[in-house]
Amino acid sequence: MQPEQRTPSRHEIEFTFDGQRYVGYAGDTIAAALYRAGVRVFSRSFKYHRPRGLLCLDGSCPNCLVNVDGTPNVRSCTSALQPGADVRSQNAWPSLDRDALAVVDRLEWLLPVGFYYKRFIRPRRLWPVYESVLRNIAGLGVINPDPDAFDEAIYDKQYRHAQVAVVGGGPAGLAAAVAAAESGGEVTLVDENPALGGHWRYQNRQLGDGTTEGPDVNQLIGRVESHARITVLREAVAFGWYADNLLGIQQGNRLIKLRCEQLVVATGRIEQPLVFRNNDLPGVFLSTGVQRLVNCHGIRPGRRALVVTTGDYGWTVARDLLSQGVDVAMVADARPEPKHPGLDQVGRAGVPSLPGHTIQSADGDHVVQGATLVRIGPHGAPVPGTEIELNCDIIALATGFVANNSLLYQSGCVIEYDAEVDDFVPTQCPPGVLAAGHAAATDGLEAVVLDGQVAGLEAALSLPDIDGQDLQHVIAERHRQLHEARERLRPAQSVRPLVSTASAGKRFVCYCEDVTEKDVRVAIGEGFDDVETLKRYTTVGMGPCQGKMCSMNAVRLCARETGRTVAATGRTTSRPPFRPVKLGVLAGRKLEPVRRTPLHYEHVALGAKMMDAGQWKRPEHYGDPATEVRTVRSNVGIIDVSTLGKIDVRGPDVVAFLDRMYTGRFGDLEIGQLHYGVMCTDEGIVLDDGVVGRIADDHYYLTTTSGGIDAVYQWLTWWLAGWQMAVHVVNVTADFAAINVAGPRARDLMGRLTDLDLSTSAFPYMEFREGSVADVCARLLRIGFVGELSYELHFPAEYGVHVWRRLLTAGADLGVAPFGVEAQRILRLEKKHIIIGQDTDALSDPLGAGLAWSVKDNGADFIGQPSLARTRKRGPIEQLVGFQMLDASVVPGEGEQIVSDGQIIGRVSSARYSPTLDRSIGIGWVEVDRSHEGAVLQIKTAGEIAYATVVVDPFYDPRGRRLRE
Amino acid sequence: MFLIKCPNCGARSVTEFRYGGEYNPRPRDASARDWADYVYVRDNRFGEQLEWWYHRAGCQRWFLARRHTGTNDVVETRWPGGASGEGRRDESVEHPPDAT
């Protein structure tokens, strides 16, 4: 035992519980500090609002759940005490001592098992009343909905890898970690406690010379902590096993995803309560809970104790109680003839014992004041008339354990009931999963350590670069020792299993959900005699403890009531999480990558209002979008279009490839020419658009929409993978900055920065040239998304800032100004140029979208062709049309309905006020018979009907003279 | 979060990949019914099936995987058009000798 555990440092810590001031010590858990200060009632139970006190001290049971600094359902027995903590009890009003709803305890007849299926359902019209009352009573813990009260903590995620992961830092896990690491494995040891040692921390036995009995676990801890190949994760709960040996681990506010090649599960065991009358009365403890109070916290848990045991280990607990000066009133041993070396020692201390007896009820009001013992008959039933009453203030139940094999279950181990150890044990584990120690139902410290060693060695054996030959010998030797130890220790482990003792009053099987033995019996009587349906109907095992306190007892009761064996009864499925996990830990922080163009900080310096466009940040505008529109229409504007997707495609099959991928024809494109290109899926739905330029016979340059690049790149490479065509596709989006220089004075501006001949005869619309711009090697694309003469410059991203600044200085006298995404949206809308994804959706075909001109109809196959051929034959059902509002001051919202006689016949996809035309314009989808010039549309705008007429041609420069001149 | 063995990068968590759907060869000169089957109908099999995967967070390449849809056991992964000649290799495209 580490000395600091026995005597916590006397450094005092102040905190409050339900508003009252308390003092604890550094190193205390919240529960330990409260218990030392005299608090016995920690919570009120879920259904009957009965007082509940500390039970397991292990983080397993629901009894000590409290609200700490606003966080509900904190397990006070495993949470370290922090200075100034505001601790509050739950499920009690007005106070823990006087809870108004405790009246429910006497209304049991109203709330039988499954009452929510039986009560409060008639008359039906009263259900809303029942519901509001029940909703207020139901639930556990309260969340403060005030957003300012939200926990500001950062929740993060960590990904880890280990050759060998060992879960559980007790003797078996420590031995496994050391064995695996010393054989060459990289080991990560996961333990949920602040200190290593597991049960040995509170159960070791010091000998006169200061050493401890049995294997030296302290030495194992030292080897684990000093070994270079062992990483220890403390206060880390492995709550779930996932496919291919991935562990979900909660450590504080962090979610760790640990992937390992070999997993050793050494998660120990969980002590089980006995089912008897008032077994929930504060003062009734699991014996290991008492040992933790005594040995880890140095607390004297009571004045007079009753120890109830079914085997040897209760005598050890009695010894520990004596060591803290507790008067042990009685050891009630279920065995008719108990034998234990500690018996003498305890007997010498004057402790009376009752063989063949067990507890029938805990007696007292609010807390234990006494107990009634009863003799056990030959078939395990209490013998009437043999009751003995006893005064005591604590009761320690040493009535058995279940192996904590939750992770083993989850990993797919075959787990079967073993009558000899009276527990479910793993009989076959999948590759890469090993069980050791108490989790594998191995008992006795010496055997547990050997079992851990065997598991660690076997884990190492299957790692690469490990010499198996030597290891095999060691494993064989350890196996022999383990077998021998098991044989030697077996007699000392004799137990007399008990489940419950019959008596009047409430005997709790499930503490979380207040399910009594009677409830279980009634449910089985009603036909829920399978453990799975029994669980769902009674909710036994469905509370915060997830069956840790009740699952095995429920199985045993089910077996007893149905006359089946425990093996035939089986267990319920075990699923993650093994321990409660905070939603914040699962949700974590939202970490979205942010992409900035090479010109980002130029925009910021110019006062741009930035907006999100997928992962990109783009300038929405630099003050006034309408002014920016006028600049482009009358002078010259520049816009950062670096976010456009850019793809370089080359190879011998490139022409055939592009002709299949796009709806248009690119084989007859001359070098230096550009074409508008649309891509469809085989459903005939528009996927993306952009321009396609031919650089050489076998070399093309493509652009995609800003948001579409990843999908298009994957789309192209997917078809290539299947077709095995000789084409190479490279995503060069980030390599090039791109600036569109647009407006009637664009040629004047560009002429100042390049020697290229920019005349329309030498460099016409829909062609591109390569040359020097502002001394930077650039590709100039003459295209016209915004409807003016424009040059889209693509050049190495490193020169983005340089070219941007040169454009602004060189064109100052021409009135050049930057424009943002909003101005561009208005400009293109005036030209009725569509945006894929904005004006199209997952049902839009290119024929309806007005792109029929871009779809080849020469019989050649391309992606989408067979579907589009059918659409063409049938004719589109909906058409994308332009419209102009009758009232220029009304701009419909995007997505608003276009209606006719109350029926929806279409929807608005884009709409803006056009400063150029002083009109309110838009585009939208309508049924084909409303798509002719002048058709009147009714558009629901903010609930009112507004009128618009269809305009077939572009609103601005319908002949397209300006972009060609 | 099961593991998939990328033919290029090795075993990685499934979250690094994009699922590309069932292996569903594109028919040529299909009848309306066959075309509709190809476009809209999937086997949705319980058991092993051949499917496309894309290693988005790795080498950014497409490959084929044979996966059991009930257990997520990935039995086999390989490049398309390998020695077995499977994949969607299209014989109508002329390949130079060094491209195959």
Side-chain angles (χ1 to χ4, degrees), chain A residues 244 682 714 722 724 861, chain B residues 1 3 18 26 38 88 95:
Chain A
D244 290 327
D682 256 337
Q714 290 168 28
Q724 300 278 295
D861 189 22
Chain B
M1 300 224 304
L3 295 172
R18 169 189 162 185
R26 187 173 187 264
Y38 155 71
R88 242 183 341 213
H95 294 268

Side-chain angles (χ1 to χ4, degrees), chain A residues 458-478:
Chain A
E458 283 181 346
L461 188 62
S462 47
L463 297 175
D465 317 320
I466 301 281
D467 178 16
Q469 205 91 79
D470 279 0
L471 217 48
Q472 290 283 18
H473 288 299
V474 184
I475 291 173
E477 171 61 16
R478 290 285 177 277

Side-chain angles (χ1 to χ4, degrees), chain A residues 490-501:
Chain A
R490 196 186 306 277
Q493 290 155 13
S494 71
V495 293
R496 178 165 188 185
L498 280 179
V499 185
S500 72
T501 51

Side-chain angles (χ1 to χ4, degrees), chain A residues 653 656-657 660 719-728, chain B residues 90 93 95 99:
Chain A
D653 293 340
F657 177 61
R660 285 189 189 186
W719 285 101
L720 269 182
W723 284 329
Q724 300 278 295
M725 294 169 93
V727 177
H728 200 59
Chain B
D90 192 332
V93 179
H95 294 268

Side-chain angles (χ1 to χ4, degrees), chain A residues 760-778:
Chain A
T760 291
S761 54
F763 185 0
Y765 178 59
M766 288 312 274
E767 294 207 358
F768 71 92
R769 295 289 178 270
E770 288 174 351
S772 167
V773 174
D775 305 314
V776 173
C777 179

Side-chain angles (χ1 to χ4, degrees), chain A residues 419-436:
Chain A
E420 193 186 334
V421 295
D422 185 35
D423 201 354
F424 286 84
V425 299
T427 53
Q428 199 190 325
C429 287
V433 178
L434 297 145

